[in-house]
Amino acid sequence: MSLSLRLFLLIVAIAFAVSAVGYRYVMLKVREPLPLENPVVLEVAKGDSIYHVARELKQRGLLEGVRLFAYYARYMDMATRIKAGEYQLQPGVSLHQLLEQLVEGDVIQYSVTLVEGHTTREYLARLAAEDKLIRSDELAEMLSDPGLLMAALGKPDVHPEGQFFPDTYFFVKGATALDILERAHERMVSVLQEEWENKGKDLPYESPYEALIMASIIEKETGVESERPDIAGVFVRRLQKRMRLQTDPTVIYGLGDAYQGNITRRHLKQKTPYNTYVIAGLPPTPIANPGREAIHAALHPAEGKTLYFVARGDGSHVFSETLEEHNRAVRQYQLKRRSDYRSAPAP
């Protein structure tokens, strides 16, 4: 074997050895935990390259060299697959795990809860106060005129009350209040349809919307969850007997901003489209956003003969079949209220 050939083979062997050592070094390096003592947030903007991410990590003292991370990402065919968003880096995470997180789009999730029985205006105010959502002039306009909300959702002729399903919704940075409300509306449409398709018999509703109106009243009247079907039973029987519903939450809703926390006799006689002491049947729209249990109760009312109920003051109610029984309950629980009287159970 010639000297030149032996030299060439030696160079090749050295190159392979160096390459193997280098490969092993990189593999060990990308699997070492980053020098993190506490969780940190890494934000990747849309269009950021792997080099931009590497430089950000280096500036934070989490990475020694930009090229190592960038070359490794390219070698793994992951450099162009990273997704924008906010990422939380936990102590113990390695470069390899971080890269997988970026490719999978495992971004930080935030949440906001829309509470059962709240109005759409209250939902808008809740979302406007959520600092993780993008604020917009459009949202401010909707707070003044909730009717604009349904127009933005492509349903300008639909009243906004009762159109949003109460639940906890998760979102990522960059989401808007309208994104949340669009999902909540789609969920309400879906839940209402599911419940309507499995409704009970002989109900006084001509449409799912009427059931939704009833469900909103049940939601506002309920202090103890187990009483929903009983409350529904009272209202359904009253409708069937052509009795007025005579429920305070509808009066309050009809008063709007004029309601200051106390219903008077004048309020009960004041004619509004929602005052069920004055109007017959259901009000024209829901008065709040009901949950599934209230919708289910509206479509599956408890059987019985009760036509009245009055709050005890601890969140529960006394149900009566006759006006005489009801008046006795009113005298006991309403006209002589306890000092600790409350319309809802103690938290």
Side-chain angles (χ1 to χ4, degrees):
M1 183 182 297
S2 66
L3 179 61
S4 59
L5 179 57
R6 281 183 294 185
L7 183 59
F8 171 75
L9 292 176
L10 178 60
I11 292 172
V12 170
I14 293 172
F16 271 112
V18 170
S19 177
V21 171
Y23 176 81
R24 181 176 176 78
Y25 171 79
V26 171
M27 292 299 108
L28 290 173
K29 204 68 179 173
V30 296
R31 283 170 170 75
E32 287 181 359
L34 295 176
L36 275 175
E37 294 183 0
N38 299 297
V40 298
V41 174
L42 173 68
E43 186 168 352
V44 179
K46 189 175 181 179
D48 279 355
S49 68
I50 195 67
Y51 287 96
H52 184 280
V53 175
R55 284 193 292 270
E56 174 70 18
L57 292 172
K58 185 176 181 180
Q59 289 175 1
R60 294 190 180 198
L62 303 178
L63 189 64
E64 294 179 4
V66 170
R67 290 183 178 179
L68 183 142
F69 183 53
Y71 286 170
Y72 177 74
R74 290 175 62 185
Y75 173 77
M76 297 294 291
D77 193 27
M78 300 168 88
T80 59
R81 294 159 51 199
I82 62 174
K83 297 177 177 64
E86 282 185 308
Y87 296 86
Q88 188 166 61
L89 281 56
Q90 298 286 353
V93 69
S94 68
L95 286 175
H96 176 78
Q97 290 170 327
L98 170 58
L99 188 58
E100 287 184 330
Q101 194 175 348
L102 296 175
V103 171
E104 291 170 4
D106 185 13
V107 296
I108 298 173
Q109 295 268 343
Y110 300 102
S111 67
V112 60
T113 298
L114 303 181
V115 179
E116 296 162 332
H118 282 197
T119 65
T120 295
R121 191 181 293 274
E122 287 175 312
Y123 282 177
L124 287 167
R126 171 67 186 88
L127 293 172
E130 178 53 63
D131 60 3
K132 297 299 181 181
L133 289 170
I134 293 178
R135 289 181 172 82
S136 66
D137 294 336
E138 183 182 35
L139 180 58
E141 292 172 359
M142 289 175 186
L143 273 167
S144 301
D145 182 5
L148 296 173
L149 171 56
M150 298 311 296
L153 294 176
K155 298 182 179 180
D157 298 327
V158 177
H159 193 280
E161 201 62 82
Q163 294 297 324
F164 305 95
F165 190 77
D167 203 349
T168 296
Y169 293 90
F170 294 90
F171 62 93
V172 298
K173 185 175 182 179
T176 66
L178 194 60
D179 294 332
I180 303 294
L181 290 169
E182 184 173 20
R183 288 159 55 195
H185 175 58
E186 291 173 355
R187 182 86 191 284
M188 179 61 85
V189 171
S190 175
V191 168
L192 181 59
Q193 187 58 38
E194 287 174 12
E195 293 292 339
W196 179 258
E197 290 174 357
N198 295 287
K199 66 182 182 295
K201 297 179 180 179
D202 302 323
L203 296 172
Y205 316 124
E206 294 184 0
S207 68
Y209 190 65
E210 289 190 355
L212 183 66
I213 295 172
M214 177 63 86
S216 72
I217 298 172
I218 294 167
E219 193 72 85
K220 294 298 288 185
E221 283 281 17
T222 301
V224 176
E225 293 184 7
S226 61
E227 290 186 348
R228 282 194 183 99
D230 298 304
I231 291 171
V234 168
F235 287 141
V236 164
R237 283 186 286 277
R238 292 181 75 92
L239 284 182
Q240 290 170 334
K241 291 177 179 291
R242 300 186 181 279
M243 297 173 67
R244 290 176 181 170
L245 294 182
Q246 296 184 323
T247 168
D248 290 357
T250 62
V251 178
I252 293 170
Y253 188 84
L255 290 172
D257 294 337
Y259 177 67
Q260 298 297 317
N262 186 38
I263 293 182
T264 65
R265 289 186 178 181
R266 181 175 62 84
H267 290 148
L268 298 181
K269 295 177 181 179
Q270 185 174 334
K271 191 166 185 179
T272 75
Y274 293 89
N275 187 348
T276 52
Y277 285 85
V278 176
I279 66 168
L282 293 165
T285 74
I287 60 171
N289 293 281
R292 182 185 284 271
E293 290 77 9
I295 297 172
H296 186 82
L299 294 168
H300 299 273
E303 296 181 0
K305 297 181 180 179
T306 55
L307 293 170
Y308 309 89
F309 62 86
V310 64
R312 281 194 176 94
D314 61 356
S316 66
H317 296 85
V318 175
F319 294 84
S320 305
E321 294 183 12
T322 67
L323 182 58
E324 184 181 1
E325 292 175 359
H326 177 64
N327 286 337
R328 282 201 300 268
V330 169
R331 287 194 294 272
Q332 180 176 354
Y333 294 104
Q334 291 289 314
L335 301 183
K336 298 179 181 179
R337 289 189 176 187
R338 304 170 349 201
S339 60
D340 62 344
Y341 179 93
R342 58 172 64 243
S343 57

